[in-house]
Amino acid sequence: MVRQQVTPEQHSVRLLKVGEQVRHVLSEVLTRQQVHDDTLSAHSVSVTEVRMSPDLRMATVYVKPLLGEDEEVVLKALRTHTAFFQREVAQRLKLRFAARIRFRPDETFDEASRIDALLSDPRVKRDLDE
């Protein structure tokens, strides 16, 4: 049997699609508070992005608690329940392999705030106005 050749574009699209499906599953589990953890029940957690490895065996999940409060505590709680999340993703998506999940803090909001502060600087505004 001849294997179909997959172009880099198709491979990239598949990674994005699977990552988005994983993000939806994790968001749903967190929203419905299906994890029995007091820390996670007390915080609203946003799953902002999921990046899949090329072989779909590793998922890096970027999360941000609402208002950025208690980020380290929330990350610790998420990491404690990693096996539960992996099992839920595997059952709901029916992938060939269950992806290993790594939780990371999403720092894009902090970076955006830093850039916004830089652009608000009077010296920068002066240069931009001209």
Side-chain angles (χ1 to χ4, degrees):
M1 179 187 249
V2 178
R3 267 183 94 167
Q4 261 186 322
Q5 294 296 322
V6 178
T7 66
E9 293 82 17
Q10 291 170 326
H11 190 68
S12 177
V13 170
R14 178 143 196 266
L15 291 177
L16 292 172
K17 283 182 181 179
V18 172
E20 192 62 17
Q21 289 174 334
V22 171
R23 189 182 73 77
H24 280 283
V25 168
L26 293 174
S27 294
E28 184 178 334
V29 168
L30 289 168
T31 301
R32 294 184 182 196
Q33 296 184 349
Q34 294 173 331
V35 182
H36 303 293
D37 186 281
D38 295 334
T39 304
L40 295 177
S41 297
H43 292 84
S44 282
V45 181
S46 295
V47 179
T48 56
E49 183 182 5
V50 176
R51 292 184 188 162
M52 300 299 296
S53 65
D55 61 359
L56 299 176
R57 290 185 186 225
M58 181 69 72
T60 304
V61 180
Y62 293 93
V63 295
K64 189 74 169 176
L66 188 63
L67 303 175
E69 294 177 356
D70 302 327
E71 189 171 271
E72 286 303 317
V73 174
V74 170
L75 278 171
K76 184 178 181 200
L78 288 168
R79 290 173 179 152
T80 301
H81 298 286
T82 299
F84 172 77
F85 289 116
Q86 288 175 182
R87 193 169 44 255
E88 285 296 311
V89 168
Q91 287 174 352
R92 294 184 189 194
L93 296 184
K94 296 177 178 70
L95 295 173
R96 186 178 301 171
F97 301 104
R100 288 191 55 227
I101 295 176
R102 293 185 307 190
F103 289 101
R104 300 279 188 256
D106 187 356
E107 306 200 350
T108 56
F109 296 107
D110 300 332
E111 186 65 16
S113 296
R114 188 184 73 76
I115 291 171
D116 193 41
L118 285 172
L119 292 174
S120 298
D121 186 314
R123 294 173 293 179
V124 175
K125 272 189 168 181
R126 181 190 66 221
D127 290 342
L128 291 175
D129 289 339
E130 291 177 6

